[in-house]
Amino acid sequence: AQKVTQAQTEISVVEKEDVTLDCVYETRDTTYYLFWYKQPPSGELVFLIRRNSFDEQNEISGRYSWNFQKSTSSFNFTITASQVVDSAVYFCALSEARFGSARQLTFGSGTQLTVLP
Amino acid sequence: NAGVTQTPKFQVLKTGQSMTLQCAQDMNHNSMYWYRQDPGMGLRLIYYSASEGTTDKGEVPNGYNVSRLNKREFSLRLESAAPSQTSVYFCASSERTGGSSGANVLTFGAGSRLTVL
């Protein structure tokens, strides 16, 4: 069975600080996908990134960066120079790449990030 | 470009009442999903429809039924609401079905907040 753990329930930072959101996953599959979704106060979940298990390169997109380490089963998300608009709940998710299966996406419990002005 | 539209956004029910949550997507996606979000538990899959004409149970299907009316629409029905079904419900859709469906990126609706008294 697959599992996603986001141990940080809530994080509060002051604007312009860097912040890292942790995500640890468990899976028996060798082929899988990892995701991050953002849920702003408006409620709608927004896709941020997808990473497959064969690509361990870190990725940077503007102020966002992701560190994927298979050795520690982690897929951490860093926001550099945080802004108030980054305040949201962030979800990490794991999907096993099984043929014909659309049901294998497992979400972590989410991390509520609050960026204070 | 509406994406995924859910109705209603808010609903209050009494125990034992029935209701249907409606969901429609305009992206010509094959797969559609219903999730529920509860505090501290992330999102859990209730039912999904990998393609038009098929539906299948997710992690927490008890007390719910679904109908894939056509490719665009996927409804969730509570036949006899219970307080344990108080939650925020999200409909989502994704493009691919079959193959590496684990790579699917989900597009979410804005959510429907349901309270059962």
Side-chain angles (χ1 to χ4, degrees):
Chain A
Q2 56 188 41
K3 183 179 178 181
V4 177
T5 301
Q6 295 180 256
Q8 303 152 308
T9 305
E10 297 181 21
I11 300 176
S12 184
V13 299
V14 177
E15 202 169 22
K16 297 184 182 178
E17 287 185 351
D18 299 346
V19 58
T20 296
L21 309 182
D22 297 333
C23 173
V24 175
Y25 62 92
E26 296 177 25
T27 178
R28 295 179 182 177
D29 283 12
T30 57
T31 302
Y32 51 88
Y33 294 86
L34 294 163
F35 302 79
W36 277 94
Y37 284 86
K38 174 182 179 180
Q39 185 179 37
S42 60
E44 191 166 336
L45 280 87
V46 177
F47 165 74
L48 294 178
I49 189 172
R50 176 184 63 201
R51 175 69 58 182
N52 73 56
S53 53
F54 297 108
D55 183 2
E56 288 192 70
Q57 283 192 345
N58 292 333
E59 182 158 341
I60 299 174
S61 176
R63 297 183 296 106
Y64 295 172
S65 61
W66 291 268
N67 184 340
F68 176 32
Q69 293 194 338
K70 290 180 73 171
S71 60
T72 56
S73 297
S74 64
F75 186 44
N76 296 337
F77 173 29
T78 297
I79 301 175
T80 303
S82 60
Q83 300 176 2
V84 173
V85 293
D86 295 327
S87 296
V89 180
Y90 291 86
F91 290 97
C92 181
L94 165 69
S95 180
E96 294 167 343
R98 299 180 185 181
F99 180 81
S101 172
R103 64 176 290 174
Q104 300 300 326
L105 188 63
T106 298
F107 284 85
S109 57
T111 298
Q112 169 72 61
L113 173 65
T114 302
V115 181
L116 302 170
Chain B
N1 188 12
V4 178
T5 303
Q6 294 179 230
T7 56
K9 291 191 183 302
F10 300 95
Q11 183 72 48
V12 178
L13 293 176
K14 295 181 179 179
T15 297
Q17 289 185 320
S18 62
M19 76 157 298
T20 299
L21 298 175
Q22 307 285 354
C23 175
Q25 51 92 8
D26 61 3
M27 297 169 287
N28 201 35
H29 283 172
N30 289 311
S31 300
M32 298 186 73
Y33 314 79
W34 277 104
Y35 286 88
R36 60 178 287 173
Q37 181 181 15
D38 301 293
M41 301 190 73
L43 279 82
R44 292 180 292 168
L45 183 63
I46 304 171
Y47 270 93
Y48 70 99
S49 171
S51 60
E52 185 179 359
T54 69
T55 61
D56 209 341
K57 296 178 180 179
E59 182 184 355
V60 289
N62 291 344
Y64 305 95
N65 286 301
V66 291
S67 295
R68 183 74 182 265
L69 304 170
N70 47 57
K71 191 171 185 178
R72 291 186 62 249
E73 299 174 288
F74 188 41
S75 63
L76 178 71
R77 182 161 179 83
L78 287 70
E79 291 291 353
S80 179
S84 61
Q85 294 178 304
T86 294
S87 187
V88 180
Y89 291 85
F90 286 94
C91 179
S93 68
S94 64
E95 183 175 343
R96 283 191 285 179
T97 181
S100 295
S101 58
N104 289 344
V105 172
L106 272 60
T107 300
F108 285 87
S112 299
R113 184 174 294 274
L114 174 65
T115 301
V116 183
L117 303 175

